[in-house]
Amino acid sequence: MQTKLIIVDGHSSVGKSSLSKSVFKQLSREQEAYWLHEECENHPIRQGEFSFGELTTVEGMELNRAGMLQKWVVFRDSILSSGKTCVTEGCLLHAYDRYFIHSPWDKDEIAAYYAQVLEVIGELAPVIVFLYRPDLRASLEKAFVRRGKWWRDLILKRDDQHVYFKTHAYVDENSMFEAVAFEQNKMMEIFDGLECLKIKIDTSAERWDEFTNKVLSQLGAKYVKLEPHPCDDMQQYTGTYRWQKGREGHDWVISYDEINDCLYTT
């Protein structure tokens, strides 16, 4: 397989982690590969992303362009030197809703930046997988239940500096849902303009085996149904854990249910 970099991207709650990790597990059966979660510590692109200059000025964004392109060069070289295939998520198109919505860049500047990134990583024969959901609000509402109020507040936080509100009035949190849908549409426009191997998937049905198979077939790899790995000694994972950079009252307790032979957690 020529491809050495697979990026699974899309807005929050569309299944980037689920699909990217599934693709990695499949690829690692036949070749050396590694997986990077977008929030992992020291992610080569995400750590310090767009922190080289002010997001709100032309001069600052030029500093960000230069800094980010250098990060992509270092990332490319690390993949080539490893000899492995990298599967990662959320580190390309997700820059739109994280940074570009507050920047002075128009669609031409944004397209030019992505063309430069693809030129840098072209040697890796990258594949960009864009995940989306037509009803993104329903997807987010479902995720809010799983992830909690803090994440809901983060996603729906009032943002008057958002590019969407240059032409739309902020009314209430429904306005933020509309802004998030706007972000997804813009990310899709950017994706459609990329000149590389691309795969677009509506993940509303959450058929992850089917989606994984679709990506693998584009890569020329074979999909094999994997059974969950049994664990003979589950009690080794029990205990009380403190989140990294732990906050008071945010312990994570894992316990063992002897009757049902399973782990359960707070």
Side-chain angles (χ1 to χ4, degrees):
M1 188 178 78
Q2 290 185 331
T3 296
K4 290 298 180 183
L5 175 62
I6 298 121
I7 301 175
V8 180
D9 220 330
H11 214 296
S12 302
S13 82
V14 296
K16 297 186 298 295
S17 297
S18 297
L19 186 62
S20 61
K21 194 167 188 179
S22 180
V23 169
F24 156 69
K25 287 181 177 180
Q26 290 284 332
L27 291 177
S28 61
R29 293 185 306 103
E30 304 291 341
Q31 60 188 277
E32 288 191 295
Y34 64 102
W35 176 66
L36 293 173
H37 187 281
E38 64 179 320
E39 301 297 343
C40 71
E41 189 175 9
N42 299 323
H43 190 289
I45 299 301
R46 288 283 290 121
Q47 184 181 39
E49 190 176 32
F50 285 90
S51 62
F52 304 94
E54 294 291 332
L55 294 174
T56 55
T57 68
V58 172
E59 297 78 11
M61 286 304 291
E62 285 307 310
L63 291 173
N64 280 316
R65 183 199 306 272
M68 289 306 300
L69 290 176
Q70 182 56 34
K71 285 175 77 69
W72 283 103
V73 167
V74 173
F75 188 26
R76 175 201 65 197
D77 292 347
S78 70
I79 294 172
L80 290 172
S81 64
S82 75
K84 301 178 181 180
T85 299
C86 176
V87 182
T88 188
E89 55 161 323
C91 65
L92 185 65
L93 301 173
H94 222 341
Y96 181 84
D97 69 290
R98 288 177 174 136
Y99 310 108
F100 298 157
I101 58 172
H102 296 128
S103 82
W105 280 3
D106 59 20
K107 64 178 182 179
D108 292 333
E109 287 284 6
I110 293 171
Y113 167 74
Y114 281 112
Q116 290 173 308
V117 172
L118 289 181
E119 183 177 0
V120 167
I121 62 177
E123 192 175 350
L124 302 172
V127 174
I128 314 301
V129 183
F130 181 68
L131 310 183
Y132 72 100
R133 297 191 179 182
D135 191 347
L136 187 56
R137 178 169 185 159
S139 179
L140 287 168
E141 292 280 19
K142 184 177 179 180
F144 293 155
V145 174
R146 296 195 305 266
R147 302 183 188 184
K149 184 177 182 299
W150 72 271
W151 198 71
R152 188 181 200 280
D153 293 342
L154 176 67
I155 297 295
L156 299 182
K157 180 180 179 181
R158 179 167 180 161
D159 186 358
D160 292 333
Q161 302 304 311
H162 193 298
V163 67
Y164 177 78
F165 296 112
K166 291 181 178 180
T167 54
H168 297 78
Y170 179 92
V171 179
D172 52 29
E173 71 172 21
N174 289 314
S175 298
M176 281 309 301
F177 276 116
E178 293 168 359
V180 169
F182 170 88
E183 292 167 5
Q184 178 174 253
N185 289 336
K186 290 299 181 181
M187 291 165 73
M188 189 178 297
E189 289 178 13
I190 295 167
F191 171 83
D192 289 340
L194 298 179
E195 295 186 3
C196 64
L197 181 56
K198 303 178 294 185
I199 306 168
K200 184 189 295 184
I201 303 174
D202 176 354
T203 61
S204 302
E206 300 191 2
R207 296 191 294 267
W208 302 113
D209 288 346
E210 175 186 317
F211 304 151
T212 303
N213 190 17
K214 181 174 182 177
V215 174
L216 291 171
S217 64
Q218 291 289 324
L219 296 170
K222 184 179 179 181
Y223 174 80
V224 175
K225 179 69 175 178
L226 300 177
E227 297 299 330
H229 293 289
C231 180
D232 295 330
D233 182 19
M234 288 191 289
Q235 294 194 56
Q236 64 180 305
Y237 300 110
T238 62
T240 301
Y241 296 81
R242 173 66 52 84
W243 296 108
Q244 187 177 8
K245 300 176 183 177
R247 296 165 292 173
E248 190 67 29
H250 286 76
D251 289 345
W252 181 23
V253 180
I254 298 178
S255 304
Y256 177 61
D257 181 343
E258 293 186 12
I259 296 176
N260 296 301
D261 190 28
C262 67
L263 297 172
Y264 63 96
T265 175
T266 55

